[in-house]
Amino acid sequence: MKKTASDMIKHHDLNGKVFLVTGAYSGLGAITTQVLLKAKAKVIIASRNAKTQADFAQGLIDDKDILFDPQQLDASHTLDLGDLASVRDFAHYVKGAYDQIDGLINNAGVMYTPPGKTKDGFEMQMGVNVIGHFLLSKILAEITRRQIWLSSKGHTRLGAPRINLDQITKVDNGDYNPRLRYQQSKLGNILLAKQFGEEYPHLKAVSVHPGMVSTNLGRNISFVQKLTFILTNPLMVMNMKQPEEGAATQVMVAIMPESELTNGAYYADCRVTEEAESAKNMEDAKKLYDYCNEVTLAYQA
Ligand SMILES: NC(=O)c1ccc[n+]([C@@H]2O[C@H](COP(=O)([O-])OP(=O)(O)OC[C@H]3O[C@@H](n4cnc5c(N)ncnc54)[C@H](OP(=O)(O)O)[C@@H]3O)[C@@H](O)[C@H]2O)c1
């Protein structure tokens, strides 16, 4: 039996705790938000589409199975991780409104996007998954107690190459490989979790692989590619998790006692798991952190 996010939250009273969930209105983010609200936490949701976010918030309030005080939910602001000005404005709103974030859940993500750049000129997957979350985490670092970075086993794909900073800005349609950029971005998430944990002794930061979960993440994969994957990986497809199961690990690390959480660790299936060698390289972690810091500096003030 696979563990679910609801199993993780059972018997927990999170009254007084504040969590921030990016990409909250779908997939793993939606389940994470629901179970945290059920356990009485305050949840700030940070998604990019204002109407979808408002509808999602209203749906939660109307849901008789969740039963929470609407004051627990802050859906007042939106966040586009592909736009540094939007990240800055959102982060400054949070910093002004809250004294402490008990768990920042860097959950939003894109996968296998076609060649393209964010508003600020970063390759889309690196820009959203890595640079946008870096800026959010950096502005909020002083008031954050715990960071949870959604990574993926995808960081081990293609031989798990080391982080290559050229991949962050260069989008040459001729040799753009969407799988490589996703691998790099999810590797970047692990490295940044490790480095934030080093830079800020008052907080703990971890990364998570949720498993292969049935969500909308694969929206850029064609029907033929999906069919080929199903036919060549039947066991993996049979073991695919539902979002309730996929969100178990991120919920577990968000709420577990601080003394039990391993700073910098990579968690999968609700336990510390070994990451690829390229994800253990602290020189690369520092290099990536410094790069992200430099390119977002103008937005940090
Ligand atoms: N599902 C899996 O099998 C799997 C496996 C390994 C890792 N993960 C990781 O788990 C995380 C959650 O993914 P999911 O499976 O729940 O997929 P999902 O349902 O597609 O959720 C992703 C969320 O990210 C949001 N997002 C995308 N671009 C954004 C932007 N520029 N600004 C703000 N929000 C943005 C999406 O909002 P929009 O709808 O507006 O685009 C959506 O709410 C991702 O980081 C993913 O890499 C998932």
Side-chain angles (χ1 to χ4, degrees), residues 39-282:
K40 300 195 176 64
K42 174 115 193 179
V43 186
I44 309 161
I45 59 172
S47 309
R48 63 174 157 176
N49 184 305
K51 164 117 180 45
T52 314
Q53 177 155 295
D55 289 349
F56 173 69
Q58 194 56 50
L60 291 174
I61 291 166
D62 294 343
D63 189 337
K64 300 280 175 289
D65 287 337
I66 303 181
L67 288 181
F68 65 99
D69 177 349
Q71 300 282 342
Q72 282 172 247
L73 182 62
D74 181 347
S76 61
H77 287 66
T78 54
L79 161 77
D80 182 351
L81 289 156
D83 176 355
L84 293 182
S86 162
V87 179
R88 175 199 59 205
D89 294 349
F90 177 80
H92 283 298
Y93 155 67
V94 173
K95 214 173 164 184
Y98 296 89
D99 295 332
Q100 181 164 304
I101 302 298
D102 296 283
L104 166 60
I105 306 177
N106 286 330
N107 166 84
V110 286
M111 182 174 81
Y112 302 168
T113 48
K117 290 191 170 186
T118 64
K119 204 167 173 201
D120 308 280
F122 302 107
E123 184 279 321
M124 190 59 75
Q125 297 182 74
M126 296 302 282
V128 170
N129 300 352
V130 175
I131 309 280
H133 275 130
F134 174 89
L135 180 60
L136 178 68
S137 306
K138 184 75 173 39
I139 295 175
L140 297 179
E142 283 163 28
I143 61 163
T144 302
R145 296 301 308 263
R146 191 173 296 185
Q147 293 176 351
I148 293 106
W149 293 75
L150 261 290
S151 175
S152 168
K153 196 174 177 191
H155 84 278
T156 65
R157 298 279 146 72
L158 304 168
R162 284 173 60 184
I163 202 84
N164 175 357
L165 299 184
D166 287 346
Q167 304 281 345
I168 300 180
T169 47
K170 206 168 147 253
V171 181
D172 176 346
N173 292 5
D175 72 353
Y176 174 81
N177 178 346
R179 286 180 162 69
L180 176 61
R181 304 307 173 101
Y182 187 66
Q183 181 273 334
Q184 288 280 297
S185 74
K186 293 291 131 178
L187 170 65
N189 291 152
I190 302 178
L191 293 173
L192 287 180
K194 290 182 191 293
Q195 193 59 33
F196 265 101
E198 292 280 310
E199 301 274 337
Y200 292 92
H202 74 274
L203 65 73
K204 282 194 172 180
V206 297
S207 54
V208 166
H209 168 54
M212 196 168 88
V213 193
S214 174
T215 67
N216 273 333
L217 191 67
R219 68 187 88 171
N220 295 306
I221 306 174
S222 71
F223 175 74
V224 174
Q225 286 169 323
K226 277 185 187 151
L227 196 62
T228 310
F229 184 83
I230 292 167
L231 294 174
T232 50
N233 301 279
L235 268 181
M236 262 176 98
V237 175
M238 268 165 57
N239 278 321
M240 196 159 186
K241 293 178 179 175
Q242 290 307 306
E244 251 279 350
E245 298 159 338
T249 305
Q250 66 205 70
V251 169
M252 183 196 81
V253 296
I255 64 168
M256 70 197 283
E258 195 167 331
S259 57
E260 291 172 23
L261 191 73
T262 309
N263 195 27
Y266 169 71
Y267 285 78
D269 285 327
C270 299
R271 57 177 177 268
V272 174
T273 302
E274 191 165 2
E275 61 282 68
E277 281 306 312
S278 51
K280 295 178 189 162
N281 190 319
M282 288 310 291

